[in-house]
Amino acid sequence: MSSTTFQWLSLVGMIWLQAINGTNTNFPAYSSQLKQLLSMSQVQLNNLAFASDAGKLFGFFSGMAAVYLPLWLVVIIGSTLGLIGYGVQYLFITNQISSLSYWQVFLLTVLAGNSICWINTVCYVVTIRNFSSHRQLAVGLTTSYQGLSAKIYTNIVDAISKHKRARTFLFLNSILPVLVGLIAAPLVREIEVTRPKYIGVGFVVMFVITIATGIYAVISSLQFVTRKISPLDNLIGISVALLLPLLVPVSLKIKELVESWQTKRERLRVYHFTAEESSNEERVENEVKEGEDSREIQEVGIREEIGVKLMLRRIDFWLYFFVYLFGATLGLVFLNNLGQIAESRGCSATSSLVSLSSSFGFFGRLIPALMDYFCRGKFAVSRPASMAALMAPTAGAFFLLLTKTHLALYTSTAIIGVCTGAITSISVSTTTELFGAKNFSVNHNLLVANIPIGSFVFGYLAALVYHKEGHDEHGKCMGMECYRITFIVWGSLCFFGTFLALFLHARTRKFYSLKL
């Protein structure tokens, strides 16, 4: 198999890994039921949501492993950690393990959350190395599929069982990453392509497939559509969509076989030597043009290679850290609490909301890649400025949630899903550009360590307000007051983060003006 075909196969493998790696994003879909099964308070439930994010505090271990271990082994280790973390919880809920304390469940959730870092690290490293000249395009494509994780898991659960959702989610969270990890393991490697072919065409086809998948995901998440489509049909549809990216490497392989057969045929027809020579010249000319097109869209290098110690002493890193904290992390905290937020507002369609946020998060992660591909050479915006432009509507969405309508809830969820996904996608390229690709696996895991910090601080604040306003004997809080103060604080912090992003843009403007 040629290196070009394997290059695109590796991208497909990363898409599959990302599609099932967002196991923490489906937590809102079963959090209320888990709360009842384990007889937990809202604060304890919030601590479990934090525990899943707390695993990222140890994400640097996966970064170091990616440097010293084969990447396929890193994937297997990550999926095994998830198998243990979620699997033991599943055995406990199904009464196959007699006793498990709350803190043991907490630590198992931390372990499961850490497993995500291992698979994410591999996906980023493989994608950046195999498509170094088009890393934002490739990263945007692959990470967008992680935005579909919650929808994929929800579709499977809806097709299997509408009851006992918590135990079904835990079972899938434990076993699905292992199965997909074993399938994708042979594709997890660095591919050296001396002269990449059909890069432009390949990405266009990938974009078309990805956009079609996203549109299907959004439409099939709407309530009036879900009433008409059976859960099994919905699951079949999303499964077919995940197989469609294989069209690119398969088409390339077929084209290579056809070209090889034509070349052998021409060699046998010696009397057509002149025509053969002309054909060869034309083919060489096309390859040169292909290389020229590739160079035209090649990204300019990086700012400088920076190690961890030096990075932690840079003002730019801490600005970047808090921009992410008040942007993408706040969005993730909102999505983690989506189940309780919907319940407090009297909205029973939690699964629909989770699928909606997942689908719009999918498009959010894809938008930076689309902008980078189609707007290159026309106009461009620096990464920090892009983050500022995404954080402003996120802040507005938090304040919109102060309106007591289901439309406001759905609209805000969609906006926060899009913007959070886009910032997550942009951050991968931003880390590489500002601090280098050599130490990316460790540097980026240090950046996303702000996710558990924000999850604890912002989530704990939300839980305290929820508990204070709640008067139900079971610890439930119903009404707009449950999260009113929380939304005001979150919106204000997000606006502050917008100004920090603009300040970071001002500090890095010279670098990006040369790059763009």
Side-chain angles (χ1 to χ4, degrees):
M1 188 175 293
S2 70
S3 58
T4 302
T5 304
F6 216 105
Q7 180 189 32
W8 287 101
L9 269 177
S10 72
L11 189 70
V12 174
M14 299 311 101
I15 285 174
W16 291 344
L17 284 173
Q18 290 283 27
I20 52 82
N21 195 38
T23 49
N24 59 333
T25 60
N26 59 45
F27 181 74
Y30 66 92
S31 58
S32 295
Q33 192 178 48
L34 189 66
K35 179 181 177 181
Q36 295 175 357
L37 288 172
L38 299 180
S39 301
M40 294 185 295
S41 67
Q42 181 61 30
V43 173
Q44 288 177 313
L45 184 66
N46 177 76
N47 288 339
L48 281 189
F50 158 71
S52 180
D53 293 328
K56 295 180 176 64
L57 288 172
F58 309 99
F60 64 91
F61 284 119
S62 64
M64 295 173 62
V67 175
Y68 298 105
L69 297 177
L71 294 176
W72 63 266
L73 181 58
V74 178
V75 169
I76 299 301
I77 293 174
S79 58
T80 302
L81 293 176
L83 176 65
I84 297 171
Y86 287 116
V88 175
Q89 291 184 63
Y90 169 76
L91 295 175
F92 171 63
I93 286 183
T94 54
N95 297 319
Q96 297 184 50
I97 294 180
S98 57
S99 62
L100 207 62
S101 70
Y102 172 78
W103 287 109
Q104 287 174 322
V105 173
F106 181 90
L107 292 176
L108 287 168
T109 306
V110 171
L111 185 66
N114 180 249
S115 70
I116 297 172
C117 297
W118 292 72
I119 298 177
N120 266 345
T121 298
V122 171
C123 290
Y124 293 152
V125 170
V126 171
T127 304
I128 289 173
R129 289 179 183 176
N130 290 352
F131 294 89
S132 58
S133 300
H134 311 82
R135 57 176 174 267
Q136 180 59 64
L137 304 181
V139 167
L141 278 168
T142 54
T143 57
S144 64
Y145 279 86
Q146 192 179 82
L148 281 183
S149 281
K151 178 171 179 56
I152 293 169
Y153 281 96
T154 302
N155 285 350
I156 298 174
V157 171
D158 288 342
I160 294 175
S161 172
K162 292 186 177 181
H163 310 289
K164 301 180 180 180
R165 297 176 65 83
R167 62 183 64 184
T168 309
F169 269 109
L170 287 171
F171 176 76
L172 289 174
N173 285 352
S174 63
I175 200 69
L176 200 56
V178 175
L179 296 176
V180 177
L182 291 173
I183 294 171
L187 308 176
V188 179
R189 63 178 70 177
E190 184 176 356
I191 311 298
E192 294 185 4
V193 182
T194 55
R195 181 178 291 176
K197 294 182 179 181
Y198 317 112
I199 288 289
V201 176
F203 275 117
V204 168
V205 175
M206 280 290 192
F207 280 138
V208 171
I209 292 172
T210 305
I211 292 171
T213 301
I215 293 173
Y216 171 80
V218 171
I219 293 176
S220 61
S221 298
L222 302 177
Q223 266 191 305
F224 70 90
V225 176
T226 54
R227 294 193 189 104
K228 299 178 181 179
I229 301 177
S230 70
L232 182 59
D233 290 340
N234 211 344
L235 176 59
I236 292 173
I238 200 68
S239 300
V240 171
L242 290 174
L243 293 174
L244 285 178
L246 279 172
L247 289 176
V248 175
V250 169
S251 299
L252 283 175
K253 185 60 180 177
I254 293 174
K255 186 173 179 61
E256 288 174 358
L257 291 173
V258 170
E259 287 181 348
S260 176
W261 176 77
Q262 288 177 341
T263 301
K264 291 178 180 179
R265 185 180 178 185
E266 289 295 329
R267 287 175 180 173
L268 293 174
R269 299 171 62 182
V270 181
Y271 55 89
H272 279 169
F273 176 81
T274 305
E276 179 186 359
E277 184 178 30
S278 175
S279 176
N280 287 336
E281 289 175 358
E282 184 179 353
R283 184 162 56 253
V284 171
E285 182 181 351
N286 289 336
E287 289 177 354
V288 171
K289 288 181 180 178
E290 183 78 30
E292 289 173 354
D293 292 339
S294 176
R295 285 192 294 273
E296 284 179 3
I297 63 173
Q298 182 173 356
E299 295 185 4
V300 179
I302 53 179
R303 197 179 186 189
E304 56 182 314
E305 293 289 350
I306 297 177
V308 174
K309 292 182 180 179
L310 181 58
M311 183 184 71
L312 292 176
R313 294 200 295 266
R314 293 289 180 91
I315 295 177
D316 288 352
F317 170 76
W318 291 108
L319 281 172
Y320 182 29
F321 184 90
F322 284 104
V323 166
Y324 198 99
L325 179 67
F326 297 143
T329 297
L330 260 179
L332 291 173
V333 173
F334 166 78
L335 297 176
N336 282 342
N337 286 271
L338 190 55
Q340 271 59 52
I341 291 171
E343 182 184 61
S344 68
R345 298 166 72 102
C347 179
S348 58
T350 304
S351 294
S352 179
L353 273 172
V354 172
S355 293
L356 186 71
S357 66
S358 177
S359 302
F360 275 91
F362 170 88
F363 271 114
R365 293 166 185 259
L366 183 63
I367 286 173
L370 290 171
M371 296 291 291
D372 191 79
Y373 185 79
F374 291 106
C375 297
R376 182 172 295 278
K378 299 177 182 178
F379 64 90
V381 182
S382 73
R383 310 290 187 202
S386 298
M387 290 184 181
L390 291 162
M391 291 174 70
T394 304
F398 283 127
F399 289 114
L400 179 61
L401 285 165
L402 299 175
T403 305
K404 188 181 180 180
T405 63
H406 285 356
L407 178 61
L409 176 60
Y410 275 83
T411 303
S412 296
T413 300
I415 292 172
I416 293 171
V418 167
C419 295
T420 300
I423 294 172
T424 303
S425 177
I426 291 171
S427 68
V428 178
S429 292
T430 307
T431 303
T432 305
E433 291 164 359
L434 295 182
F435 309 114
K438 183 178 179 181
N439 301 295
F440 167 82
S441 59
V442 178
N443 290 349
H444 195 68
N445 277 299
L446 283 176
L447 168 72
V448 298
N450 74 72
I451 294 177
I453 295 172
S455 178
F456 176 76
V457 176
F458 304 140
Y460 195 72
L461 167 67
L464 288 178
V465 174
Y466 181 96
H467 182 73
K468 179 182 177 182
E469 299 295 337
H471 303 291
D472 188 274
E473 61 179 1
H474 298 293
K476 286 186 178 181
C477 177
M478 302 298 294
M480 292 297 293
E481 294 299 324
C482 299
Y483 286 95
R484 181 179 296 277
I485 296 176
T486 299
F487 293 147
I488 293 173
V489 172
W490 287 358
S492 301
L493 288 173
C494 199
F495 267 127
F496 177 63
T498 305
F499 288 109
L500 291 181
L502 291 174
F503 186 37
L504 179 61
H505 164 68
R507 287 182 57 86
T508 58
R509 183 171 53 188
K510 183 177 179 180
F511 162 68
Y512 277 105
S513 64
L514 295 173
K515 180 182 183 299
L516 301 175

